[in-house]
Amino acid sequence: MTKDVIALTPEMPDLPTLLAGLYAGGPDLGVNTAADGAVVQLCSPDGRPLVSVETPILVQVPGEATRLLGHAVEEAPVWWTEARASTAVAEAARLAGSFAGRLVTVLGGTVWPPEAATTDVVPLTTDVSAIPAPATGSPAVDVLTGTTAVVIQDRPLIAMTSWLSDALRTATGSDRALQIVTPPTARLTLPTRNALRGLPNRWVVQDPEHGYYDGLSGAVLHWKNGTFTPVQDEQGATRAAEAFAPAPDTGDRQLILTLRTRHPADENLILGRALETAFRHLTGAPPAGWSTAEPVNLPWSTRQLTDLARARAPRPTWLVAVGHPDRPAVATVRVLRTPAGVEEDITFALGYGRDETPPLDAVEELATALDAEHGLVTLLTSLRAARRDLTVPPRLEAPPVPVAFTLGSNEVEAVGRARAGHPPLGPTPTGLGPEGKPALHYVLGNGSTAHSVSVFQRLIQHLTRD
């Protein structure tokens, strides 16, 4: 049984209802708070956390609960109340299920996963005094060593929830790796994959037949010196797990845009407009919602997004945005304050099935608008053979194939128009916008062959050469 249980209710769970749910273990168990009151915990008589419940979230974005939970559930708006059970105590998962079941009994709604729902009193029979006290105050972290924070997840889709985001932020702040351990049936959302990209963070897959391996690289892993590391042979080489085999090509494709914008840091700046422009050009509508974690719960608002980033400055702000349910579309945005101004680093992915055509013909017009109105620095457009639903399985996937690259007009001036406009080995760019100060758009290929990877690499080497 999963240790994460979610109650989806049409009404907000108030404090008395939450407390009634937490008495699923009977009157002998205690209740306290953590994370400055944002988490309520059901504890054993000696104070060890058994179930941690985060503040309920009002999810106002259509289709978001279904996107993350994998089947039709309560439609937005819905209150999302998530409970995490300790992996150290056998009864904790049933306590979490009884907590969620009691919430929906009072308020209506559904429990995910459905089989977890109960209203039974779950007596604590485990001798918790024999269990080591948790080494961390973070409810999301199951194992903490001097180098690594380990999070165990047993759910079909691993989203970048506020639990996980907090664990990543805490691990980074203490110079630790974040390593997420899942069964081989799990997949990642794109925000989770993007957050884990780059060592020392890892997605650790626990395969019953093949042991542990890295879900993104395939490297066989073992637990050594308090962390998961690759198994090396006598020559220091690593090998890929047998389970990390390529997934069959279903004809699904992902269109991926990686773009950077730069703006003067002034009081009239509104962030998020570049991403909104990309959504409108490629899906016909603005984003449906945004948030600092998944589930994405807030209706799209560039003003609210800007206010949050301004309040956090000069610290970076990380955001996620999603599209409407009819077109899989997910973006992550990192807002940075730099000496040159305010920059937005955006990764925007859209999913297409075998019988759907990615709108590559809209990219040039989009690039023109981004440069004219939103301070475009660079835009890389790529295609990859990958799932339409934009989730990431622990299998070998083809890397993105570059299709086009756009250099913003200010960057063209910085590189030099003559140099940027005449790469010695091609491709010849198209000028976008005013003749006197154009952006340059380079077509690299159609996404069907890997040859465009070398074309793109040569172009970048030419543009960045001293």
Side-chain angles (χ1 to χ4, degrees):
M1 178 183 293
T2 178
K3 67 171 185 172
D4 297 342
V5 183
I6 301 165
L8 300 163
T9 59
E11 298 180 31
M12 178 181 177
D14 57 15
L15 184 57
T17 305
L18 290 172
L19 291 175
L22 286 167
Y23 278 111
D28 293 336
L29 301 186
V31 175
N32 63 22
T33 61
D36 297 324
V39 175
V40 179
Q41 294 180 321
L42 176 64
C43 300
S44 64
D46 67 349
R48 297 168 193 258
L50 303 175
V51 177
S52 299
V53 180
E54 196 168 58
T55 302
I57 300 169
L58 178 59
V59 178
Q60 304 174 67
V61 179
E64 182 64 359
T66 298
R67 178 180 76 90
L68 296 181
L69 301 181
H71 56 86
V73 292
E74 297 293 310
E75 207 30 275
V78 63
W79 287 93
W80 174 299
T81 307
E82 186 159 345
R84 286 183 54 80
S86 167
T87 55
V89 180
E91 295 85 2
R94 288 188 291 128
L95 282 167
S98 184
F99 162 79
R102 290 166 178 237
L103 251 61
V104 301
T105 298
V106 174
L107 302 173
T110 59
V111 172
W112 181 93
E115 63 272 15
T118 178
T119 57
D120 296 341
V121 173
V122 182
L124 181 62
T125 59
T126 298
D127 181 8
V128 295
S129 64
I131 300 172
T136 173
S138 172
V141 176
D142 296 284
V143 178
L144 187 70
T145 73
T147 61
T148 305
V150 178
V151 175
I152 300 172
Q153 290 274 273
D154 186 10
R155 55 201 289 178
L157 189 61
I158 313 302
M160 185 47 61
T161 61
S162 55
W163 302 98
L164 203 52
S165 179
D166 178 68
L168 177 60
R169 184 168 51 251
T170 302
T172 301
S174 60
D175 292 325
R176 288 181 169 93
L178 178 69
Q179 298 184 341
I180 302 174
V181 181
T182 77
T185 52
R187 291 167 285 119
L188 306 184
T189 65
L190 279 181
T192 304
R193 175 186 178 150
N194 291 344
L196 288 179
R197 182 175 290 137
L199 298 176
N201 301 325
R202 287 190 188 277
W203 176 18
V204 181
V205 179
Q206 185 177 15
D207 190 287
E209 296 182 4
H210 303 279
Y212 295 99
Y213 67 94
D214 190 303
L216 297 178
S217 72
V220 176
L221 304 173
H222 62 166
W223 181 257
K224 183 178 181 181
N225 298 327
T227 193
F228 285 99
T229 60
V231 176
Q232 297 181 334
D233 61 21
E234 294 179 356
Q235 287 72 42
T238 61
R239 62 183 176 86
E242 294 180 16
F244 195 70
D249 186 357
T250 62
D252 286 3
R253 295 291 182 270
Q254 293 176 7
L255 177 62
I256 303 172
L257 279 70
T258 306
L259 66 120
R260 172 173 287 188
T261 64
R262 184 181 298 129
H263 321 272
D266 64 55
E267 61 182 11
N268 296 317
L269 173 63
I270 301 295
L271 297 169
R273 287 178 172 172
L275 180 60
E276 180 174 317
T277 297
F279 261 89
R280 289 187 182 277
H281 275 77
L282 299 177
T283 72
W290 74 284
S291 186
T292 57
E294 295 176 291
V296 173
N297 63 312
L298 299 171
W300 178 249
S301 169
T302 55
R303 171 57 66 182
Q304 291 180 2
L305 184 159
T306 302
D307 289 344
L308 175 66
R310 183 171 284 122
R312 290 186 172 186
R315 294 172 297 159
T317 295
W318 184 89
L319 308 167
V320 57
V322 296
H324 295 271
D326 58 339
R327 166 60 57 211
V330 179
T332 58
V333 183
R334 192 163 187 258
V335 180
L336 298 165
R337 181 70 168 88
T338 71
V342 179
E343 297 186 356
E344 294 174 285
D345 285 335
I346 301 170
T347 301
F348 179 26
L350 304 100
Y352 300 88
R354 177 184 295 274
D355 299 324
E356 298 175 308
T357 302
L360 294 177
D361 55 354
V363 171
E364 187 172 317
E365 183 180 350
L366 168 61
T368 304
L370 291 173
D371 186 66
E373 303 168 16
H374 304 295
L376 178 66
V377 178
T378 57
L379 167 63
L380 174 63
T381 303
S382 306
L383 278 175
R384 69 180 305 179
R387 295 173 61 109
R388 182 183 186 273
D389 64 8
L390 303 179
T391 64
V392 182
R395 306 284 295 271
L396 178 63
E397 291 189 307
V401 177
V403 173
F405 178 72
T406 308
L407 192 65
S409 56
N410 289 333
E411 300 306 300
V412 171
E413 295 297 310
V415 171
R417 197 181 309 177
R419 177 174 168 183
H422 299 88
L425 299 176
T428 302
T430 300
L432 306 179
E435 274 191 35
K437 193 181 178 183
L440 294 181
H441 183 72
Y442 306 82
V443 176
L444 307 171
N446 60 11
S448 62
T449 68
H451 172 69
S452 58
V453 175
S454 59
V455 174
F456 176 61
Q457 290 173 339
R458 289 197 307 266
L459 173 63
I460 293 302
Q461 289 170 358
H462 171 71
L463 295 175
T464 57
R465 188 181 67 230
D466 292 334

